[in-house]
Amino acid sequence: MQVYPKFHRTHRCQEESVQTREFTIVRHTRNYQIMRKFYEEIMGMQAMREWDRGSNDRGVLLSPGDGGGNALIEIIQLNDVAVPNAPAPVNIEISIEVADVQSVYKSLLQHKMPIARKLMDDPWGHSSFGIDDPEGLRIWVYQVHPK
């Protein structure tokens, strides 16, 4: 196990802050079409950039919003490189804040999308529900309630 030195807050790079331009979650898959359809058609994400240079070299960058912001999900086909029958990803989840969680929930139910955890009010002031993508990554969809 990697051991990291103990840092205090004052040791952080104070001279220059990191200016993040884009934050991307990368999903490797052997089932490119199924995964892409899920994120575009079921989750309503929009393709921002894509490439297709053959079945072993294609991918898409998807935005969870209207194309604004800097958070993306990248789906990359990895035919022979992806691990077949790998377990669902563990210790990582995606959370997506939406303006109207009830309408998203109802829409997914109408499309017969399996719901991993039903819509609930959370004690920290959110309403949320959970679904799993085609390869088992948990996605939390939530709305923050005004205080």
Side-chain angles (χ1 to χ4, degrees):
M1 179 167 86
Q2 176 71 33
V3 177
Y4 294 97
K6 188 172 185 175
F7 285 98
H8 298 284
R9 286 186 158 167
T10 57
H11 291 141
R12 192 171 50 160
C13 218
Q14 293 179 357
E15 298 82 32
E16 190 176 315
S17 64
V18 176
Q19 295 182 2
T20 303
R21 296 202 174 127
E22 185 174 275
F23 182 85
T24 304
I25 296 170
V26 179
R27 289 292 283 132
H28 297 165
T29 185
R30 296 183 80 172
N31 303 303
Y32 179 79
Q33 287 302 115
I34 293 169
M35 190 71 73
R36 182 171 180 170
K37 181 178 180 177
F38 171 81
Y39 281 99
E40 282 186 307
E41 294 180 17
I42 303 297
M43 296 304 297
M45 296 185 180
Q46 297 178 0
M48 303 304 294
R49 295 188 294 264
E50 63 183 290
W51 65 96
D52 188 348
R53 296 181 286 262
S55 64
N56 282 321
D57 189 7
R58 62 183 171 167
V60 63
L61 283 165
L62 300 164
S63 172
D66 60 2
N70 61 354
L72 301 169
I73 293 178
E74 182 175 11
I75 299 170
I76 300 175
Q77 176 128 3
L78 289 179
N79 286 342
D80 297 333
V81 180
V83 179
N85 303 317
V90 295
N91 298 324
I92 187 167
E93 299 171 332
I94 296 175
S95 292
I96 302 172
E97 182 180 356
V98 297
D100 184 354
V101 73
Q102 294 250 355
S103 67
V104 174
Y105 185 73
K106 288 177 185 175
S107 175
L108 292 174
L109 288 175
Q110 288 173 347
H111 285 92
K112 308 285 191 238
M113 179 67 199
I115 304 295
R117 196 204 76 195
K118 68 179 184 166
L119 181 62
M120 297 173 56
D121 289 330
D122 301 311
W124 48 88
H126 295 176
S127 289
S128 66
F129 66 92
I131 59 173
D132 295 333
D133 81 5
E135 293 180 358
L137 179 64
R138 177 62 47 93
I139 301 169
W140 293 103
V141 181
Y142 70 97
Q143 177 180 349
V144 178
H145 296 294
K147 294 180 179 181

Short mmCIF file of all heavy atoms in Angstrom, two decimals, residues 100-139:
data_model
loop_
_atom_site.label_atom_id
_atom_site.label_comp_id
_atom_site.label_asym_id
_atom_site.label_seq_id
_atom_site.Cartn_x
_atom_site.Cartn_y
_atom_site.Cartn_z
N ASP A 100 -35.26 18.99 -11.29
CA ASP A 100 -36.54 18.37 -10.92
C ASP A 100 -36.38 16.85 -10.88
O ASP A 100 -36.58 16.16 -11.87
CB ASP A 100 -37.62 18.77 -11.92
CG ASP A 100 -39.01 18.26 -11.56
OD1 ASP A 100 -39.15 17.49 -10.58
OD2 ASP A 100 -39.96 18.63 -12.27
N VAL A 101 -36.01 16.33 -9.72
CA VAL A 101 -35.72 14.91 -9.57
C VAL A 101 -36.98 14.05 -9.80
O VAL A 101 -36.90 12.95 -10.32
CB VAL A 101 -35.04 14.60 -8.22
CG1 VAL A 101 -36.03 14.70 -7.06
CG2 VAL A 101 -34.36 13.25 -8.24
N GLN A 102 -38.15 14.58 -9.42
CA GLN A 102 -39.40 13.82 -9.60
C GLN A 102 -39.67 13.55 -11.08
O GLN A 102 -40.05 12.44 -11.44
CB GLN A 102 -40.57 14.60 -8.99
CG GLN A 102 -40.49 14.71 -7.50
CD GLN A 102 -41.55 13.89 -6.80
OE1 GLN A 102 -42.42 13.30 -7.43
NE2 GLN A 102 -41.47 13.85 -5.49
N SER A 103 -39.47 14.55 -11.94
CA SER A 103 -39.75 14.34 -13.37
C SER A 103 -38.74 13.38 -14.00
O SER A 103 -39.11 12.57 -14.85
CB SER A 103 -39.78 15.67 -14.13
OG SER A 103 -38.51 16.26 -14.16
N VAL A 104 -37.47 13.44 -13.57
CA VAL A 104 -36.47 12.50 -14.09
C VAL A 104 -36.84 11.08 -13.66
O VAL A 104 -36.80 10.14 -14.45
CB VAL A 104 -35.05 12.87 -13.61
CG1 VAL A 104 -34.03 11.82 -14.02
CG2 VAL A 104 -34.65 14.25 -14.13
N TYR A 105 -37.22 10.92 -12.41
CA TYR A 105 -37.61 9.63 -11.86
C TYR A 105 -38.80 9.05 -12.64
O TYR A 105 -38.78 7.90 -13.08
CB TYR A 105 -37.95 9.79 -10.38
CG TYR A 105 -38.25 8.51 -9.66
CD1 TYR A 105 -37.24 7.61 -9.34
CD2 TYR A 105 -39.54 8.21 -9.24
CE1 TYR A 105 -37.50 6.44 -8.64
CE2 TYR A 105 -39.82 7.05 -8.53
CZ TYR A 105 -38.80 6.17 -8.25
OH TYR A 105 -39.07 5.01 -7.55
N LYS A 106 -39.84 9.87 -12.84
CA LYS A 106 -41.03 9.43 -13.56
C LYS A 106 -40.69 9.05 -15.00
O LYS A 106 -41.19 8.06 -15.53
CB LYS A 106 -42.11 10.51 -13.54
CG LYS A 106 -42.77 10.67 -12.18
CD LYS A 106 -43.78 11.79 -12.18
CE LYS A 106 -44.34 12.01 -10.78
NZ LYS A 106 -45.23 13.17 -10.73
N SER A 107 -39.82 9.82 -15.64
CA SER A 107 -39.43 9.53 -17.01
C SER A 107 -38.71 8.18 -17.10
O SER A 107 -38.98 7.39 -18.01
CB SER A 107 -38.52 10.65 -17.53
OG SER A 107 -38.03 10.33 -18.81
N LEU A 108 -37.81 7.92 -16.16
CA LEU A 108 -37.10 6.64 -16.18
C LEU A 108 -38.05 5.47 -15.92
O LEU A 108 -37.92 4.41 -16.55
CB LEU A 108 -35.96 6.65 -15.15
CG LEU A 108 -34.80 7.60 -15.48
CD1 LEU A 108 -33.81 7.64 -14.34
CD2 LEU A 108 -34.12 7.19 -16.77
N LEU A 109 -39.01 5.66 -15.04
CA LEU A 109 -40.01 4.61 -14.79
C LEU A 109 -40.84 4.35 -16.06
O LEU A 109 -41.13 3.20 -16.38
CB LEU A 109 -40.92 4.99 -13.63
CG LEU A 109 -40.31 4.94 -12.23
CD1 LEU A 109 -41.31 5.46 -11.20
CD2 LEU A 109 -39.87 3.52 -11.88
N GLN A 110 -41.21 5.42 -16.76
CA GLN A 110 -41.99 5.27 -18.00
C GLN A 110 -41.20 4.51 -19.06
O GLN A 110 -41.78 3.80 -19.87
CB GLN A 110 -42.41 6.63 -18.53
CG GLN A 110 -43.49 7.28 -17.70
CD GLN A 110 -43.79 8.71 -18.14
OE1 GLN A 110 -43.05 9.31 -18.91
NE2 GLN A 110 -44.89 9.25 -17.63
N HIS A 111 -39.88 4.63 -19.05
CA HIS A 111 -39.03 3.91 -20.00
C HIS A 111 -38.65 2.53 -19.48
O HIS A 111 -37.77 1.88 -20.03
CB HIS A 111 -37.77 4.72 -20.31
CG HIS A 111 -38.02 5.88 -21.20
ND1 HIS A 111 -38.31 7.14 -20.72
CD2 HIS A 111 -38.03 5.97 -22.55
CE1 HIS A 111 -38.49 7.95 -21.73
NE2 HIS A 111 -38.33 7.27 -22.85
N LYS A 112 -39.30 2.11 -18.39
CA LYS A 112 -39.06 0.77 -17.80
C LYS A 112 -37.62 0.58 -17.33
O LYS A 112 -37.09 -0.52 -17.33
CB LYS A 112 -39.43 -0.34 -18.80
CG LYS A 112 -40.81 -0.23 -19.38
CD LYS A 112 -41.86 -0.62 -18.38
CE LYS A 112 -43.20 -0.75 -19.07
NZ LYS A 112 -44.22 0.08 -18.54
N MET A 113 -36.99 1.68 -16.93
CA MET A 113 -35.62 1.62 -16.42
C MET A 113 -35.63 1.01 -15.02
O MET A 113 -36.37 1.48 -14.15
CB MET A 113 -35.04 3.04 -16.37
CG MET A 113 -33.65 3.13 -15.85
SD MET A 113 -32.49 2.35 -16.97
CE MET A 113 -31.12 2.12 -15.87
N PRO A 114 -34.84 -0.03 -14.78
CA PRO A 114 -34.78 -0.59 -13.43
C PRO A 114 -34.21 0.44 -12.44
O PRO A 114 -33.20 1.09 -12.72
CB PRO A 114 -33.83 -1.78 -13.56
CG PRO A 114 -33.74 -2.06 -15.01
CD PRO A 114 -34.01 -0.77 -15.73
N ILE A 115 -34.86 0.60 -11.33
CA ILE A 115 -34.44 1.54 -10.30
C ILE A 115 -33.75 0.75 -9.19
O ILE A 115 -34.33 -0.17 -8.63
CB ILE A 115 -35.65 2.33 -9.74
CG1 ILE A 115 -36.41 3.04 -10.87
CG2 ILE A 115 -35.22 3.29 -8.65
CD1 ILE A 115 -35.66 4.12 -11.60
N ALA A 116 -32.51 1.11 -8.88
CA ALA A 116 -31.76 0.40 -7.84
C ALA A 116 -32.20 0.82 -6.43
O ALA A 116 -32.22 0.00 -5.53
CB ALA A 116 -30.26 0.65 -8.01
N ARG A 117 -32.52 2.10 -6.27
CA ARG A 117 -33.09 2.57 -5.01
C ARG A 117 -34.13 3.62 -5.34
O ARG A 117 -33.86 4.58 -6.06
CB ARG A 117 -32.03 3.19 -4.09
CG ARG A 117 -32.61 3.31 -2.65
CD ARG A 117 -31.98 4.37 -1.78
NE ARG A 117 -32.47 5.69 -2.18
CZ ARG A 117 -31.91 6.82 -1.82
NH1 ARG A 117 -30.85 6.82 -1.07
NH2 ARG A 117 -32.39 7.97 -2.23
N LYS A 118 -35.33 3.42 -4.82
CA LYS A 118 -36.45 4.30 -5.16
C LYS A 118 -36.19 5.73 -4.68
O LYS A 118 -35.34 5.98 -3.83
CB LYS A 118 -37.75 3.76 -4.58
CG LYS A 118 -37.80 3.81 -3.06
CD LYS A 118 -39.13 3.30 -2.54
CE LYS A 118 -39.15 3.47 -1.03
NZ LYS A 118 -40.43 3.33 -0.46
N LEU A 119 -36.98 6.64 -5.22
CA LEU A 119 -36.89 8.05 -4.86
C LEU A 119 -37.23 8.22 -3.38
O LEU A 119 -38.26 7.74 -2.92
CB LEU A 119 -37.84 8.87 -5.73
CG LEU A 119 -37.86 10.37 -5.50
CD1 LEU A 119 -36.50 10.99 -5.79
CD2 LEU A 119 -38.93 11.01 -6.38
N MET A 120 -36.33 8.90 -2.66
CA MET A 120 -36.52 9.10 -1.22
C MET A 120 -36.06 10.49 -0.85
O MET A 120 -35.21 11.08 -1.51
CB MET A 120 -35.70 8.08 -0.42
CG MET A 120 -36.08 6.64 -0.63
SD MET A 120 -34.93 5.48 0.18
CE MET A 120 -34.98 6.02 1.87
N ASP A 121 -36.61 11.00 0.25
CA ASP A 121 -36.10 12.23 0.84
C ASP A 121 -34.98 11.85 1.80
O ASP A 121 -35.16 11.01 2.67
CB ASP A 121 -37.20 12.97 1.60
CG ASP A 121 -38.23 13.58 0.66
OD1 ASP A 121 -37.85 13.95 -0.48
OD2 ASP A 121 -39.40 13.70 1.05
N ASP A 122 -33.82 12.46 1.59
CA ASP A 122 -32.66 12.17 2.41
C ASP A 122 -32.58 13.15 3.57
O ASP A 122 -32.98 14.31 3.44
CB ASP A 122 -31.38 12.26 1.56
CG ASP A 122 -31.42 11.29 0.38
OD1 ASP A 122 -31.72 10.11 0.60
OD2 ASP A 122 -31.14 11.72 -0.75
N PRO A 123 -32.05 12.73 4.72
CA PRO A 123 -32.01 13.60 5.89
C PRO A 123 -31.14 14.84 5.73
O PRO A 123 -31.27 15.79 6.48
CB PRO A 123 -31.47 12.69 7.01
CG PRO A 123 -30.90 11.49 6.35
CD PRO A 123 -31.53 11.39 4.99
N TRP A 124 -30.26 14.88 4.72
CA TRP A 124 -29.39 16.03 4.54
C TRP A 124 -29.97 17.06 3.58
O TRP A 124 -29.29 17.98 3.15
CB TRP A 124 -27.99 15.60 4.06
CG TRP A 124 -28.01 14.64 2.91
CD1 TRP A 124 -28.05 14.95 1.58
CD2 TRP A 124 -28.01 13.23 3.00
NE1 TRP A 124 -28.08 13.80 0.83
CE2 TRP A 124 -28.05 12.72 1.69
CE3 TRP A 124 -27.98 12.32 4.06
CZ2 TRP A 124 -28.05 11.35 1.42
CZ3 TRP A 124 -27.98 10.98 3.77
CH2 TRP A 124 -28.02 10.51 2.47
N GLY A 125 -31.27 16.90 3.23
CA GLY A 125 -31.95 17.93 2.44
C GLY A 125 -32.00 17.68 0.95
O GLY A 125 -32.26 18.60 0.17
N HIS A 126 -31.78 16.45 0.52
CA HIS A 126 -31.89 16.09 -0.88
C HIS A 126 -33.04 15.11 -1.06
O HIS A 126 -33.42 14.42 -0.12
CB HIS A 126 -30.64 15.36 -1.38
CG HIS A 126 -29.40 16.18 -1.38
ND1 HIS A 126 -28.19 15.63 -1.71
CD2 HIS A 126 -29.15 17.48 -1.08
CE1 HIS A 126 -27.25 16.56 -1.64
NE2 HIS A 126 -27.81 17.68 -1.24
N SER A 127 -33.55 15.04 -2.27
CA SER A 127 -34.37 13.90 -2.70
C SER A 127 -33.53 13.20 -3.75
O SER A 127 -32.96 13.85 -4.64
CB SER A 127 -35.68 14.36 -3.32
OG SER A 127 -36.53 14.88 -2.34
N SER A 128 -33.43 11.87 -3.66
CA SER A 128 -32.55 11.17 -4.58
C SER A 128 -33.05 9.75 -4.87
O SER A 128 -33.85 9.20 -4.12
CB SER A 128 -31.13 11.09 -4.01
OG SER A 128 -31.11 10.29 -2.85
N PHE A 129 -32.54 9.21 -5.97
CA PHE A 129 -32.76 7.81 -6.30
C PHE A 129 -31.51 7.29 -6.99
O PHE A 129 -30.67 8.06 -7.44
CB PHE A 129 -34.02 7.60 -7.16
CG PHE A 129 -33.93 8.19 -8.54
CD1 PHE A 129 -33.48 7.44 -9.61
CD2 PHE A 129 -34.32 9.50 -8.77
CE1 PHE A 129 -33.41 7.97 -10.88
CE2 PHE A 129 -34.25 10.06 -10.03
CZ PHE A 129 -33.80 9.28 -11.09
N GLY A 130 -31.38 5.97 -7.05
CA GLY A 130 -30.21 5.37 -7.66
C GLY A 130 -30.58 4.43 -8.79
O GLY A 130 -31.59 3.72 -8.72
N ILE A 131 -29.77 4.46 -9.85
CA ILE A 131 -29.88 3.51 -10.96
C ILE A 131 -28.48 3.00 -11.25
O ILE A 131 -27.49 3.57 -10.79
CB ILE A 131 -30.49 4.16 -12.22
CG1 ILE A 131 -29.64 5.35 -12.69
CG2 ILE A 131 -31.92 4.59 -11.98
CD1 ILE A 131 -30.08 5.93 -14.00
N ASP A 132 -28.38 1.92 -12.00
CA ASP A 132 -27.09 1.37 -12.40
C ASP A 132 -26.96 1.42 -13.91
O ASP A 132 -27.92 1.13 -14.63
CB ASP A 132 -26.95 -0.08 -11.93
CG ASP A 132 -26.92 -0.21 -10.41
OD1 ASP A 132 -26.52 0.76 -9.74
OD2 ASP A 132 -27.31 -1.28 -9.91
N ASP A 133 -25.77 1.80 -14.40
CA ASP A 133 -25.57 1.79 -15.84
C ASP A 133 -25.45 0.33 -16.31
O ASP A 133 -25.47 -0.59 -15.48
CB ASP A 133 -24.40 2.69 -16.25
CG ASP A 133 -23.00 2.11 -16.10
OD1 ASP A 133 -22.85 0.91 -15.76
OD2 ASP A 133 -22.04 2.85 -16.35
N PRO A 134 -25.38 0.07 -17.62
CA PRO A 134 -25.40 -1.31 -18.12
C PRO A 134 -24.30 -2.21 -17.57
O PRO A 134 -24.43 -3.43 -17.63
CB PRO A 134 -25.27 -1.13 -19.63
CG PRO A 134 -25.88 0.19 -19.91
CD PRO A 134 -25.49 1.04 -18.72
N GLU A 135 -23.22 -1.64 -17.04
CA GLU A 135 -22.16 -2.47 -16.48
C GLU A 135 -22.04 -2.32 -14.97
O GLU A 135 -21.04 -2.71 -14.38
CB GLU A 135 -20.85 -2.18 -17.20
CG GLU A 135 -20.92 -2.64 -18.65
CD GLU A 135 -19.67 -2.38 -19.45
OE1 GLU A 135 -18.70 -1.80 -18.91
OE2 GLU A 135 -19.65 -2.75 -20.63
N GLY A 136 -23.09 -1.79 -14.33
CA GLY A 136 -23.17 -1.82 -12.88
C GLY A 136 -22.67 -0.61 -12.11
O GLY A 136 -22.64 -0.64 -10.88
N LEU A 137 -22.29 0.47 -12.78
CA LEU A 137 -21.85 1.66 -12.06
C LEU A 137 -23.08 2.38 -11.50
O LEU A 137 -24.01 2.70 -12.24
CB LEU A 137 -21.08 2.60 -12.99
CG LEU A 137 -20.58 3.89 -12.36
CD1 LEU A 137 -19.58 3.61 -11.24
CD2 LEU A 137 -19.97 4.80 -13.42
N ARG A 138 -23.10 2.61 -10.21
CA ARG A 138 -24.24 3.27 -9.56
C ARG A 138 -24.24 4.75 -9.89
O ARG A 138 -23.22 5.44 -9.82
CB ARG A 138 -24.16 3.08 -8.05
CG ARG A 138 -25.24 3.77 -7.22
CD ARG A 138 -26.68 3.31 -7.49
NE ARG A 138 -26.87 1.89 -7.54
CZ ARG A 138 -27.23 1.12 -6.51
NH1 ARG A 138 -27.43 1.64 -5.32
NH2 ARG A 138 -27.39 -0.18 -6.68
N ILE A 139 -25.41 5.26 -10.26
CA ILE A 139 -25.61 6.67 -10.56
C ILE A 139 -26.69 7.19 -9.62
O ILE A 139 -27.79 6.63 -9.57
CB ILE A 139 -26.05 6.88 -12.03
CG1 ILE A 139 -24.99 6.32 -12.97
CG2 ILE A 139 -26.33 8.35 -12.30
CD1 ILE A 139 -25.43 6.24 -14.41
#
